[in-house]
Amino acid sequence: MKAAILLAHGSSDPNWLAPFDQLLARIRQQLDDDTHVRLAYMELAQPTLAEQVAELVTTGAHHIDVLPLFFAAGRHLRRDVPAMIEDLMRRHPSVTIELHAPVGLEPEVSAAISQVVTRQLQP
Amino acid sequence: MKAAILLAHGSSDPNWLAPFDQLLARIRQQLDDDTHVRLAYMELAQPTLAEQVAELVTTGAHHIDVLPLFFAAGRHLRRDVPAMIEDLMRRHPSVTIELHAPVGLEPEVSAAISQVVTRQLQP
């Protein structure tokens, strides 16, 4: 079974978190799968990455893709999250966890951002 | 003259900042305008919002749209940035600064994110 975790930064403000739930719902609908794709926050909110990895391992996951819902890869994705993943693989030796590139760097996403901004700024 | 500032969170890591420069270049090309659209960081990096507002005011801007390159509106966009903008309008009484909704909440952007994630997760 292939499992995935969408990883967002997290915030103490529930208003910040709400759109990520909507995004998860949309992705699950597109995939027609509501159990193997989870959402986790790196900090300041729950569920955490550790909680979601533990649950997915319990349901039999051997490989987990971690897809960062970040605009770019800074200190968090280059240092903090890899350290978390290394620790989680030590705690759960049956699972491989693979960290992907941030979704914001994908051409479709940056194209959509520049289209939206261009439209907002055109007279 | 209508001016705009794309506002990103900011990071001490130059790897995080680089994609925003590319995004700005793309937007300026689409708008065929490379002077009235600027990029600023809320914290941890330069140019700051205050620096860009001051420069745009010097070039004669009376209205500045601030477009947040954020996924969602949490504490930063609901409290910190409005306070910065209020302070900047007090310091520059000739300019109106208008804070827009975060670009990540625009339907095209969330559609692009869910498409990219769905494609990455499909077998």
Side-chain angles (χ1 to χ4, degrees):
Chain A
M1 190 195 83
K2 207 170 174 183
I5 296 172
L6 310 177
L7 182 70
H9 182 282
S11 164
S12 55
D13 186 337
N15 292 292
W16 192 87
L17 307 178
F20 292 97
D21 284 323
Q22 290 162 26
L23 198 62
L24 176 68
R26 184 173 187 155
I27 289 163
R28 283 178 162 178
Q29 197 177 24
Q30 283 176 352
L31 287 169
D32 200 16
D33 178 347
D34 61 0
T35 53
H36 303 151
V37 184
R38 306 284 182 105
L39 176 64
Y41 297 103
M42 196 196 70
E43 61 184 23
L44 303 171
Q46 282 181 310
T48 64
L49 185 60
E51 286 166 351
Q52 293 292 36
V53 166
E55 277 194 31
L56 286 168
V57 167
T58 307
T59 66
H62 296 297
H63 182 94
I64 300 173
D65 289 304
V66 174
L67 309 182
L69 301 176
F70 282 64
F71 282 110
R75 184 175 49 83
H76 287 318
L77 290 181
R78 297 163 66 84
R79 205 181 59 188
D80 303 340
V81 176
M84 285 177 184
I85 287 177
E86 214 175 294
D87 176 56
L88 288 166
M89 288 204 287
R90 265 197 300 270
R91 281 155 64 187
H92 304 285
S94 64
V95 75
T96 309
I97 304 172
E98 188 183 346
L99 180 61
H100 291 255
V103 75
L105 294 181
E106 294 291 328
E108 291 100 317
V109 177
S110 53
I113 293 170
S114 63
Q115 269 162 34
V116 162
V117 169
T118 304
R119 193 187 59 220
Q120 287 177 337
L121 295 182
Q122 259 154 359
Chain B
M1 190 196 83
K2 207 170 173 182
I5 296 173
L6 310 178
L7 182 70
H9 183 282
S11 164
S12 54
D13 186 337
N15 292 292
W16 192 86
L17 306 178
F20 293 97
D21 285 322
Q22 290 161 25
L23 198 63
L24 176 67
R26 185 175 188 154
I27 289 163
R28 283 178 162 179
Q29 196 177 24
Q30 283 176 352
L31 287 169
D32 200 17
D33 178 346
D34 60 0
T35 53
H36 303 150
V37 183
R38 307 284 183 106
L39 177 64
Y41 298 103
M42 194 195 69
E43 61 184 21
L44 303 171
Q46 282 181 313
T48 64
L49 185 60
E51 287 165 352
Q52 293 291 37
V53 167
E55 278 194 30
L56 285 169
V57 168
T58 307
T59 66
H62 296 298
H63 183 94
I64 301 173
D65 289 304
V66 174
L67 309 182
L69 302 176
F70 283 64
F71 282 110
R75 184 174 49 81
H76 288 317
L77 291 181
R78 296 162 66 83
R79 206 181 57 189
D80 304 340
V81 176
M84 285 177 184
I85 287 177
E86 213 174 296
D87 176 56
L88 287 166
M89 288 203 289
R90 264 197 301 269
R91 281 156 63 187
H92 304 284
S94 64
V95 75
T96 310
I97 304 171
E98 187 183 347
L99 179 61
H100 291 256
V103 74
L105 293 181
E106 293 291 327
E108 292 98 316
V109 177
S110 52
I113 293 170
S114 62
Q115 270 162 32
V116 162
V117 169
T118 304
R119 193 187 60 219
Q120 286 177 335
L121 295 182
Q122 259 155 359

